[in-house]
Amino acid sequence: MFECFYPGEYLDSTYEINFEKLFREGYRGVIFDIDNTLVPHGAPADDRAKALFARLGELGFRCCLLSNNKEGRVKMFNEEIGAYYIYDAHKPSVKNYRAAMEQMGTDTGNTVFVGDQLFTDVYGANRAHIRTILVKPIHPKEEIQIVLKRYLEKIVLWEYKRKRGQKNERQN
C-alpha cells in the first residue's frame, strides 16, 4: 500500500553514507535535497557540507541540488558548494529529477537521490526510477506543513521497517 514511498535505504544522516562504496558500485551522480538533509532548514553551507562536496568531487561524482525552495535560498547555499542546482523543483514531480540527471550527464542507473522527506523527496525519486536514500532530518525546527507531514511519515516508516524486518527474516 505504501511501497511507492519506501526508500531504498534509510540512514541516520547524509554524512554516514558510504559514497566510496556507491562509486565502486557504478554510481556517478548524486541529487541532494538541501534543508534538513545537508544543513538545518535555511542554514548556509557549513564546513561539514563543504567537506562532503569536496570529497564527492575528488571521488568523481557529479552533484545536483534539487529543492522546492526559491532561487535565493538555493543559490546562497550553492555559493559555497559549486554544484548544479534546480530551485522551485515541484517535487515530487519527476520532471526536475530528470533535468538534474541531464545536467550531471547521468541516468537512472547511475544516480542516487538523498533527501529527508518521504512524500516529496523519496516519492518523486522513486517515480523517476532513481535509487533513494532517506535520511533523518538534521533539526526538528521545520515549517508547519512539514511538521504535519512528519506524522504521516511515521506511519509509512513504521510499515516500511516492519516489512523490511519480515524480508530480512525470510532471507536468513
Side-chain angles (χ1 to χ4, degrees):
M1 179 166 143
F2 296 127
E3 287 83 3
C4 62
F5 301 112
Y6 290 173
E9 295 175 68
Y10 183 33
L11 302 173
D12 286 336
S13 169
T14 298
Y15 299 99
E16 73 174 35
I17 297 171
N18 187 339
F19 288 103
E20 290 79 7
K21 181 179 180 219
L22 289 171
F23 194 84
R24 285 192 307 271
E25 291 173 354
Y27 289 92
R28 296 299 181 260
V30 185
I31 303 171
F32 288 100
D33 177 52
I34 300 172
D35 288 326
N36 261 339
T37 298
L38 294 165
V39 294
H41 187 80
D46 58 16
D47 290 340
R48 188 165 68 159
K50 293 174 196 176
L52 172 64
F53 280 84
R55 186 172 120 228
L56 292 171
E58 289 170 7
L59 286 171
F61 278 106
R62 292 192 175 187
C63 299
C64 185
L65 305 171
L66 187 65
S67 176
N68 284 345
N69 278 300
K70 295 190 182 335
E71 184 177 19
R73 162 66 181 131
V74 179
K75 190 173 184 179
M76 179 267 295
F77 180 87
N78 195 50
E79 286 174 357
E80 299 291 333
I81 299 300
Y84 297 105
Y85 70 89
I86 297 172
Y87 62 92
D88 195 22
H90 300 283
K91 293 180 290 184
S93 169
V94 300
K95 176 183 172 191
N96 284 313
Y97 290 87
R98 291 181 183 134
M101 288 184 287
E102 189 174 312
Q103 284 184 9
M104 295 186 299
T106 62
D107 58 41
T108 59
N110 63 5
T111 303
V112 63
F113 180 88
V114 180
D116 70 299
Q117 292 187 54
L118 287 178
F119 301 129
T120 51
D121 296 333
V122 171
Y123 180 53
N126 283 345
R127 291 176 59 223
H129 306 289
I130 300 170
R131 179 176 175 177
T132 56
I133 300 174
L134 176 70
V135 295
K136 292 179 181 173
I138 290 175
H139 194 274
K141 180 183 175 266
E142 297 182 292
E143 296 171 346
I144 188 65
Q145 70 271 18
I146 295 172
V147 171
L148 296 173
K149 284 194 286 186
R150 294 288 185 203
Y151 289 107
L152 297 172
E153 283 185 353
K154 285 180 184 181
I155 296 167
V156 175
L157 286 171
W158 180 85
E159 185 67 17
Y160 165 77
K161 290 174 188 176
R162 186 180 74 78
K163 286 194 174 182
R164 188 168 177 186
Q166 289 174 349
K167 182 179 177 184
N168 288 342
E169 286 175 15
R170 282 189 295 242
Q171 291 175 350
N172 291 330

